Amino acid sequence: MEHWFDRTEAGRVEWAQRLGLPRFRARQLDTHLFSRLEDSPDEWTDIPKPLREKLQAECLPPLLAPVTTLTADQGATVKSLWRLPDGVLVEGVLMRYGVKGLPASGRGDERATLCLSCQAGCAMGCPFCATGQGGLQRNLTCGEIVAQVADAAGLLARGEVAGGPGQVGNIVLMGMGEPLANYDAVLAAIRTLARPQPDGYGMSPRGITLSTVGLVPRIARLAEEELPITLAVSLHAPDDGLRDELIPVNQRWKV
């Protein structure tokens, strides 16, 4: 089922109008979700209660069901395992550094970084990677990727991570899956993260890092998007002989 997070700004306005609502209702819901991080209809006090219930039922189906949560670094690192609507599992890790009394980042600043997943499993088959050895179950939707950010942003805003209230400053697409193998959903999610509030999270693209094992045609396509994100290439070896063993796609696209 489609989620509000799956659509662009224009698409969300169109959806609201299809439900018989004026354009400003879409902006109100965007403001609650992206700017105020209010995911509970009880908090949408500028929207009539019957309409809140309709919006939640029609536009906000549950995406992430918590399975387990593990913490480390005095509560500054939170690893979450979620079950998606069809039963597949994905993980995300929220890491916070630089807050007094918590582990230092080495940069002298406070920052919170979310490592999120873009696929359930992975088809790249790298022998050292547990996710790759399990194979690919499916791509995540744009909404499922954005929902991981919404979850982490909510935890920080509510002060549920060690160090008190804060916000997600950096995103790394280094969790489960190969981002460039789920290109359209990943790019749509990045654009939602970078779109100014209240139409998105208003994050700086320079705070978003996409990691790839080296799908060269998709790297070239990404360059044409003119998004100033950071690209990280997982080399693991400096020569083709060893990299052919560690990174199977190297047999097609050499170092």
Side-chain angles (χ1 to χ4, degrees), residues 22 29-30 41 66 97 120 129 148 152 160 168 190 218 238 249-250:
L29 188 53
D30 282 348
Y97 304 97
C129 175
Q148 296 172 63
E160 296 177 14
V168 177
I190 289 173
R218 297 289 175 87
V249 299
N250 195 72

Side-chain angles (χ1 to χ4, degrees), residues 17-91:
Q17 292 178 323
R18 182 154 48 88
L19 292 173
L21 304 175
R23 297 174 60 93
F24 76 87
R25 292 298 187 193
R27 174 55 64 93
Q28 284 180 311
L29 188 53
D30 282 348
T31 299
H32 287 297
L33 295 175
F34 295 120
S35 298
R36 300 177 184 171
L37 306 177
E38 296 171 344
D39 58 2
S40 171
D42 292 337
E43 300 172 295
W44 308 342
T45 55
D46 56 346
I47 301 176
K49 187 173 182 180
L51 181 53
R52 298 180 218 167
E53 296 170 352
K54 180 178 181 178
L55 286 169
Q56 184 180 44
E58 296 280 348
C59 307
L60 299 170
L63 292 181
L64 304 179
V67 178
T68 58
T69 301
L70 303 175
T71 61
D73 300 327
Q74 304 169 48
T77 298
V78 180
K79 182 177 182 180
S80 300
L81 177 68
W82 298 291
R83 179 174 285 108
L84 302 183
D86 59 354
V88 301
L89 302 174
V90 295
E91 291 181 328

Side-chain angles (χ1 to χ4, degrees), residues 37 93-97 107 109-116 149 152-154 156-157 165-172 193-194 201-209 229-230:
L37 306 177
V93 183
L94 177 61
M95 298 159 283
R96 193 173 195 184
Y97 304 97
R107 292 173 43 176
D109 61 344
E110 187 212 325
R111 59 193 178 110
T113 297
L114 174 64
C115 177
L116 55 76
V149 181
L156 285 164
Q167 59 186 4
V168 177
N170 300 286
I171 299 291
V172 290
L193 299 180
Y201 283 104
M203 296 186 62
S204 168
R206 298 189 185 280
I208 300 173
T209 298
I229 64 173
T230 298

